Amino acid sequence: MIKLGGVNVPHCKNTAGKLPEIIPVPDEVKLPMSMHSGMPANPIVGIGDYVKVGQLIGEASGSVSSPVHASVSGTVKSIDTIDSITGEKGITVTIASDGNQTPWEGMSPVRVTNLEEFLEAVKNSGVVGLGGAGYPTASKLTLKESVEIDYILINGAECEPFITSDTRTMTDDADYVLEGARLLKQYINPKNIIICIEDNKPQAIKRMKELCKEDGIDVRVLPSLYPQGERKVLVYNVTGRIVPEGGRLPDIGCIVINCTTVAVFAKYIKNGCPLVARCVTVDGSAVKNPKNVIAPIGTPVGKLFEYCGGLKSDVKKVTLGGPMMGVAIPSLDIPIVKITNAVLAFSEKDAVSHEPSPCIKCGRCISNCPMSLMPPSIEIAYEQKKCDLLKKYKVNMCAECACCAYSCPAKRPLVQVMKLAGDMLWNYEKMQKTKQAEVK
């Protein structure tokens, strides 16, 4: 059963009061065709083609996919079969910028008069879950006829340390957040729309409350407790509803959607410009001048640090995303993608990896887990490769929020084990289904 778990992490919202600054256009951008969950986009351009900002370069493939658009004007330099983020097999389109940022002439306001047109517009905007999940938004909003939505929760919790890009959206683009909420109210028709914000964001709370008071849209102020913004945690803390094991949010009448995601599709419908740039928080102890910046998607991470004065000499670790759930990267040539809300660089003293010691059975990981899981038991089952126990202990319910590892005095690598255990169970169950199908 889900409870109000979590940990009190340092907020470190150093850039909350800093207006986003537009960085210079990079010499080139690398655009992976898989910047989202589901099937990758299919490139529709060739090497040598000239493209403009907002032009479609990758078509969505299948019902769970998202289109990709050129974020700079220039010439397609290469189409590689290696994903530039993961290093796995996948297609990346590299565009050499001409520096002009010439807009594609096909961009114009989008006419929306019904649910079908609304969902098509959301899909064509290229927007996905911009809080980090990356699930295509149009797919999330495409519901079975029998499903009734009681709550749409617009997620402005932004509970990870350092990250303030969503905070800036709710402050600087509050009009678009409200317009996106109005569109959801009109076409998805939930009984309630609630904008959820942690109490450490007073400017955003004030701005959203001022705008929403006439629209019947509630602004709910929540305690600053990580991982408040995790979708199942947010649903429980706001509505009291519990997502069953293996269930989806719409099964209990709920949808959670990131506040910047909402603003992006509202902007697209108003002016026709798809998702081609992101507000990214650049911070961490190894960054000389932390800022919020607006950069074309596909910009190398190094260009963002360069704009912020560069990195200090003792830089040890760089992550895409926050310190709790972000991913460390091996090179500053890695590009930002649709779901990149922060790039953080940490000095050696803040990035040191502690040598784990044996579990002392203190139970902190269990008491702080927002899903009420038992990480020590899961760790043992994983080491013994007992998939039946992994299923019994419900490792598939893990949110991978890292509360367990954060609270562990023995510095056990619990979140890594939880991820690996989840993959082990998934592969095991897939193999079992294959065997059953062969028998039939």
Side-chain angles (χ1 to χ4, degrees):
M1 177 179 176
I2 301 173
K3 63 178 176 62
L4 182 60
V7 292
N8 287 297
V9 296
H11 296 158
C12 302
K13 303 292 188 179
N14 310 312
T15 58
K18 295 187 177 182
L19 285 166
E21 301 176 19
I22 300 174
I23 74 166
V25 181
D27 295 333
E28 67 177 32
V29 294
K30 292 182 179 292
L31 298 166
M33 293 294 101
S34 184
M35 293 188 270
H36 50 267
S37 303
M39 295 296 292
N42 293 321
I44 59 170
V45 292
I47 296 173
D49 287 354
Y50 181 77
V51 296
K52 299 177 181 178
V53 178
Q55 181 177 335
L56 183 70
I57 64 168
E59 289 182 332
S61 59
S63 58
V64 183
S65 186
S66 182
V68 177
H69 303 82
S71 59
V72 298
S73 59
T75 305
V76 176
K77 178 180 177 181
S78 64
I79 301 176
D80 303 304
T81 56
I82 300 296
D83 188 296
S84 59
I85 296 292
T86 65
E88 298 173 334
K89 188 175 181 180
I91 297 176
T92 294
V93 175
T94 300
I95 303 172
S97 171
D98 61 9
N100 296 326
Q101 289 301 83
T102 305
W104 181 56
E105 53 275 0
M107 291 188 294
S108 61
V110 180
R111 185 172 183 268
V112 173
T113 60
N114 56 48
L115 174 60
E116 184 178 356
E117 290 176 349
F118 172 63
L119 293 174
E120 185 68 12
V122 173
K123 179 179 179 180
N124 292 339
S125 74
V127 74
V128 299
L130 298 181
Y135 194 80
T137 304
S139 302
K140 175 183 285 190
L141 297 176
T142 302
L143 306 167
K144 296 177 182 177
E145 289 186 10
S146 59
V147 173
E148 291 188 6
I149 299 299
D150 298 320
Y151 294 94
I152 291 182
L153 306 184
I154 297 178
N155 191 349
E158 199 167 47
C159 55
E160 277 252 24
F162 292 99
I163 307 175
T164 63
S165 54
D166 280 348
T167 300
R168 294 316 312 180
T169 294
M170 293 182 289
T171 306
D172 308 324
D173 284 338
D175 290 333
Y176 283 116
V177 176
L178 176 59
E179 180 57 28
R182 287 171 175 164
L183 289 165
L184 291 169
K185 185 176 182 181
Q186 181 176 357
Y187 295 114
I188 306 301
N189 192 32
K191 295 176 182 176
N192 303 277
I193 292 186
I194 304 173
I195 300 173
C196 308
I197 312 175
E198 282 192 322
D199 59 14
N200 61 351
K201 303 168 183 64
Q203 282 186 305
I205 292 167
K206 180 181 178 182
R207 183 79 175 112
M208 294 311 309
K209 280 189 171 182
E210 289 172 349
L211 288 178
C212 294
K213 59 185 177 183
E214 303 296 333
D215 282 85
I217 296 169
D218 186 23
V219 177
R220 187 74 54 87
V221 180
L222 301 167
S224 300
L225 183 70
Y226 179 84
Q228 188 70 264
E230 199 282 327
R231 59 195 180 95
K232 294 178 183 178
V233 173
L234 192 67
V235 164
Y236 180 74
N237 289 344
V238 175
T239 73
R241 299 185 180 188
I242 295 173
V243 183
E245 182 181 0
R248 299 171 63 247
L249 266 61
D251 297 338
I252 58 168
C254 297
I255 291 174
V256 174
I257 185 166
N258 173 265
C259 62
T260 301
T261 298
V262 169
V264 166
F265 68 64
K267 281 185 184 180
Y268 174 75
I269 290 171
K270 184 173 181 179
N271 59 31
C273 184
L275 178 58
V276 294
R278 273 233 60 171
C279 177
V280 180
T281 299
V282 184
D283 202 350
S285 55
V287 177
K288 290 184 179 178
N289 299 305
K291 298 176 184 284
N292 283 305
V293 304
I294 296 174
I297 291 170
T299 300
V301 166
K303 293 294 182 182
L304 277 65
F305 289 129
E306 184 180 302
Y307 183 79
C308 294
L311 296 173
K312 298 175 183 178
S313 59
D314 62 343
V315 60
K316 178 71 173 178
K317 182 178 181 180
V318 174
T319 66
L320 296 181
M324 298 295 285
M325 296 185 71
V327 177
I329 57 174
S331 167
L332 297 185
D333 293 329
I334 296 292
I336 66 165
V337 292
K338 290 182 180 182
I339 62 172
T340 306
N341 52 10
V343 292
L344 307 178
F346 297 100
S347 61
E348 188 162 3
K349 71 179 181 66
D350 294 320
V352 62
S353 296
H354 297 280
E355 192 68 28
S357 57
C359 174
I360 62 172
K361 307 294 189 294
C362 67
R364 293 182 192 176
C365 57
I366 298 172
S367 61
N368 288 322
C369 176
M371 299 296 144
S372 294
L373 301 181
M374 297 187 293
S377 298
I378 291 171
E379 183 180 29
I380 293 171
Y382 169 73
E383 290 171 349
Q384 296 178 348
K385 296 183 172 55
K386 293 186 176 180
C387 292
D388 55 334
L389 290 180
L390 292 178
K391 186 173 183 178
K392 176 183 176 181
Y393 296 139
K394 304 186 186 302
V395 70
N396 58 321
M397 292 286 285
C398 176
E400 298 180 3
C401 65
C403 285
C404 52
Y406 181 84
S407 59
C408 178
K411 306 301 179 185
R412 306 290 302 166
L414 294 174
V415 67
Q416 291 91 338
V417 169
M418 298 292 278
K419 289 181 179 182
L420 292 170
D423 289 343
M424 179 184 286
L425 179 60
W426 187 87
N427 288 324
Y428 171 77
E429 292 184 333
K430 182 181 179 181
M431 185 175 64
Q432 293 298 107
K433 288 178 182 177
T434 301
K435 287 182 178 180
Q436 290 172 4
E438 290 174 351
V439 170
K440 292 180 180 179

